[in-house]
Amino acid sequence: MENTAETLPQYQKIDSVAGYEAAINLVIAQARRNIRIFDKQASSAFNSLERYELLRSFLLASRVNRLYIVVHDTGFLTTHCPRMMSLLKQFSHCIAIRETGTDAKQVYDSFTVADENHYVHRFHYDSTRGLMALNDLNEAHEFIDRFEEIWEASIQTVSATTLGLRG
């Protein structure tokens, strides 16, 4: 396949929390099938109207769309992000949220991957430095592989219902 201006990799440095959250929103907007998010914990952006609308639109776009989230600590997400919990309840069949197990707690960088070609990478969860890439298939696949390893080393701790049963 020949690269065009639309398929050439594009990179943008990130140097602030606001820039990081805006980059995640941009990558989410690019997603057509899968979104994979790994972070220390969910930020307040997961309760913003903008992130809610982006994720809701993504999930409504197709029955096969999937959202996977792994965080080291789900507490903030479950107690301070009612919009995200509302999405989980409405789309429980296509959202999965897990918390890292002991083996994965030492992973310190955060990333979000849309489909198999767009990503945001924060080099350390305590730093504001990062990179957003659009149309970078090679590096995106490396993040997907890392995500799968983290996913396997995590457990489901958040569900759509109080009892933990999906309805």
Side-chain angles (χ1 to χ4, degrees):
M1 184 173 139
E2 191 175 313
N3 281 334
T4 66
E6 292 179 359
T7 61
L8 285 174
Q10 301 171 29
Y11 302 97
Q12 178 181 330
K13 290 181 181 180
I14 300 167
D15 60 4
S16 68
V17 172
Y20 175 67
E21 296 298 350
I24 290 174
N25 287 346
L26 182 62
V27 165
I28 288 171
Q30 302 299 311
R32 298 296 171 256
R33 286 281 179 244
N34 295 299
I35 298 171
R36 296 169 178 92
I37 299 171
F38 169 70
D39 212 330
K40 180 179 179 179
Q41 70 176 21
S43 68
S44 57
F46 278 94
N47 199 49
S48 72
L49 184 57
E50 181 180 11
R51 178 84 43 94
Y52 170 83
E53 291 293 338
L54 284 167
L55 290 172
R56 187 170 186 281
S57 294
F58 165 75
L59 295 166
L60 285 171
S62 173
R63 295 182 321 155
V64 299
N65 286 0
R66 297 291 181 261
L67 171 61
Y68 305 97
I69 299 173
V70 179
V71 290
H72 288 318
D73 180 8
T74 59
F76 187 85
L77 185 68
T78 58
T79 59
H80 293 91
C81 299
R83 286 188 172 120
M84 191 64 215
M85 293 296 94
S86 174
L87 283 176
L88 178 60
K89 193 167 192 173
Q90 182 180 1
F91 298 98
S92 62
H93 62 286
C94 53
I95 298 176
I97 301 172
R98 291 186 171 193
E99 186 170 308
T100 53
T102 306
D103 293 342
K105 294 284 186 196
Q106 77 281 359
V107 180
Y108 57 85
D109 60 331
S110 306
F111 54 91
T112 298
V113 184
D115 300 327
E116 298 183 351
N117 47 347
H118 313 298
Y119 65 87
V120 177
H121 181 213
R122 190 171 183 179
F123 305 133
H124 193 284
Y125 52 67
D126 288 334
S127 172
T128 59
R129 292 185 41 238
L131 178 73
M132 179 184 71
L134 302 177
N135 304 311
D136 184 347
L137 297 169
N138 293 331
E139 194 69 24
H141 277 277
E142 289 190 28
F143 283 113
I144 291 170
D145 291 344
R146 284 190 61 215
F147 186 88
E148 294 305 321
E149 290 174 9
I150 295 167
W151 186 261
E152 290 301 317
S154 64
I155 54 174
Q156 182 176 347
T157 57
V158 179
S159 67
T161 63
T162 308
L163 297 175
L165 304 173
R166 292 185 176 232

